[in-house]
């Protein structure tokens, strides 16, 4: 049994989950309602005179899991989550980057390392079409190039692309100029993360770290002083808009120059964060909250005290389609720092319980606002039961 949202009603025929189903029971079904179905019928029975509703028993559907391990050399494990039995690991497999499935189909998605293309998110519709967001090419140091486009893909074909430079529209250089005048600001580290649901329904976050560096003769008798500005910015991109959601900066002056020395003069601008609502599909969403404990710290590095920006992590408030708070994901509740780049997914198990995955980091069960870790690290793009679970268990790694 699974819960899906009704998109059309024609008599006793109900369209939900991309197919027409037959309504069973005496409960009226309307467009937009969440209903229970076994893939053939919609069950909506309630008793007369206020008694307890009829409960229709069924075999629980299992959710396939691609479980990552600490060591890449150890590969992955194939498993499944059963609402009654928990996580069952049933075999080892080759290394894969991610798993996506609908109720009847599944695919293991690998990065295209030969062309240096890496998937940030993929999804599969009811017909088996696969959509993806590609994070662009990397340079020889492994960081993303500013001029590398972000691609939107359908079944392996790029249907649109976006230049990160065009998306940012010079705002990083402008910010550097405000803090360190007469300096050239260049993007040093760019990455993206996001969710895609169809060719025209997606969002992604551009994360940009820029450094501006200017040599200055200060004090006058030492020719190797410097001004350095370090800026972190993020943008939320949708098919219709680009909105800045984060900014943080550090300005330092040192003489003579020993990069990030502890005796630098520091002007630190704490981050401002714009809370944003990020869809997860099927009406679920989360609110990405602010950095609770950002700070500048120093610690030894190669014999020199080096400054670091310490990120306290985000808080992700996860909501149901009915705007009910399901869980709060944070360092305190998960043991993990939640980042803007984390891929989060959720599936309703029934009885007020939800299965939550932070891709590559942890699997949790949420009930009554409490989180319980299942101590596995799935590489699932989405959480979704697989009806023909035997095909998953029998597939070759």
């Amino acid at each position: 049994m699974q819960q899906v949202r009704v998109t059309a009603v024609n008599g006793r025929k109900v369209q939900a989950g991309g197919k027409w189903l037959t309504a069973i029971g005496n409960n009226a079904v309307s467009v937009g309602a969440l209903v229970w179905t076994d893939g053939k019928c919609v069950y909506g029975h309630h008793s007369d005179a206020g008694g307890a509703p009829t409960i229709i028993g069924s075999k629980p559907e299992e959710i396939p899991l691609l479980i990552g391990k600490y060591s890449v050399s150890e590969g992955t494990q194939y498993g499944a989550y059963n609402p009654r039995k928990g996580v069952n690991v049933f075999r080892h497999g080759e290394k894969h980057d991610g798993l996506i499935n609908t109720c009847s189909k599944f695919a293991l998605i690998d990065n295209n390392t030969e062309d240096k293309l890496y998937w940030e998110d993929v999804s599969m519709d009811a017909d088996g079409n696969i959509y993806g967001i590609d994070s662009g090419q990397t340079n020889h140091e492994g960081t993303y190039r500013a001029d590398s486009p972000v691609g939107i893909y359908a079944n392996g074909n790029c249907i649109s692309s976006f230049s990160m430079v065009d998306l940012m529209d010079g705002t990083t250089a402008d910010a550097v100029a405000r803090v360190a005048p007469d300096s050239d600001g260049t993007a040093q580290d760019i990455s993206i993360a996001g969710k895609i649901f169809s060719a025209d329904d997606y969002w992604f976050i551009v994360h940009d770290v820029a450094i501006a560096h200017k040599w200055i003769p200060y004090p006058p008798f030492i020719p190797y002083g410097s001004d350095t500005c370090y800026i972190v910015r993020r943008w939320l991109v949708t098919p219709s808009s680009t909105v800045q959601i984060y900014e943080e900066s550090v300005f330092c002056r040192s003489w003579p120059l020993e990069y990030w020395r502890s005796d630098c003069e520091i002007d630190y601008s704490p981050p401002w964060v714009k809370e944003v609502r990020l869809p997860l599909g099927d009406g679920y969403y989360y609110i990405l909250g602010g950095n609770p404990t950002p700070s500048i710290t120093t610690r030894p590095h190669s014999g020199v005290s080096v400054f670091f920006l310490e990120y306290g992590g985000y808080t992700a408030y996860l909501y149901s389609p009915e705007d009910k708070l399901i869980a709060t994901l944070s360092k305190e509740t998960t043991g993990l720092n939640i980042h803007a780049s984390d891929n989060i997914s959720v599936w309703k198990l029934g009885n007020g319980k939800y299965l939550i995955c932070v891709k590559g980091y942890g699997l949790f069960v949420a009930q009554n606002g409490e989180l319980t870790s299942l101590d596995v690290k799935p590489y699932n793009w989405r959480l979704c039961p697989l009806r023909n679970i035997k095909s998953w268990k029998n597939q070759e790694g």
Side-chain angles (χ1 to χ4, degrees), residues 149-180:
V150 177
I152 306 298
Y153 286 76
N155 296 322
N157 299 314
C158 185
I159 56 178
S160 62
S161 62
F162 304 88
S163 167
M164 292 194 221
V165 173
D166 293 340
L167 287 172
M168 292 180 284
D169 195 26
T171 50
T172 294
D174 293 341
V176 171
R178 290 198 305 270
V179 183

Side-chain angles (χ1 to χ4, degrees), residues 187-346:
Q188 301 292 314
D189 183 14
I190 295 178
S191 61
I192 77 157
K195 282 281 190 183
I196 186 168
F197 310 104
S198 68
D200 56 0
D201 186 7
Y202 55 83
W203 58 266
F204 58 88
I205 291 175
V206 178
H207 172 95
D208 173 31
V209 178
I211 294 177
H213 191 71
K214 181 177 68 173
W215 296 91
I216 57 173
Y218 185 82
F221 53 86
I222 298 179
Y224 298 110
S226 75
D227 282 352
T228 302
C229 180
Y230 178 100
I231 291 181
V232 179
R233 297 189 113 197
R234 298 188 185 106
W235 292 262
L236 173 65
V237 181
T238 68
S240 60
S241 66
T242 300
V243 179
Q244 184 185 345
I245 61 173
Y246 184 95
E247 181 173 320
E248 180 176 22
S249 65
V250 177
F251 175 74
C252 68
R253 173 176 294 162
S254 65
W255 51 86
L257 173 66
E258 286 189 37
Y259 190 53
W260 295 106
R261 272 191 53 151
S262 59
D263 57 357
C264 292
E265 289 184 5
I266 292 293
D267 181 8
Y268 173 57
S269 174
W272 67 262
V273 181
K274 180 177 181 179
E275 289 194 345
V276 291
R277 172 173 169 155
L278 302 174
L280 293 174
D282 297 324
Y284 292 89
Y285 65 95
Y286 66 102
I287 302 295
L288 196 61
N291 256 3
T293 56
S295 63
I296 286 279
T297 64
T298 62
R299 57 178 179 263
H301 178 71
S302 302
V304 179
S305 293
V306 182
F307 281 98
F308 288 91
L309 284 174
E310 299 289 350
Y311 298 102
Y314 283 89
T315 299
Y317 302 94
L318 185 59
Y319 288 87
S320 72
E322 299 81 22
D323 299 319
K324 175 185 176 182
L325 180 63
I326 296 173
T328 300
L329 307 181
S330 65
K331 176 72 171 181
E332 290 72 24
T333 61
T334 66
L336 311 168
N337 273 328
I338 303 299
H339 302 287
S341 58
D342 286 336
N343 189 299
I344 298 172
S345 55
V346 61

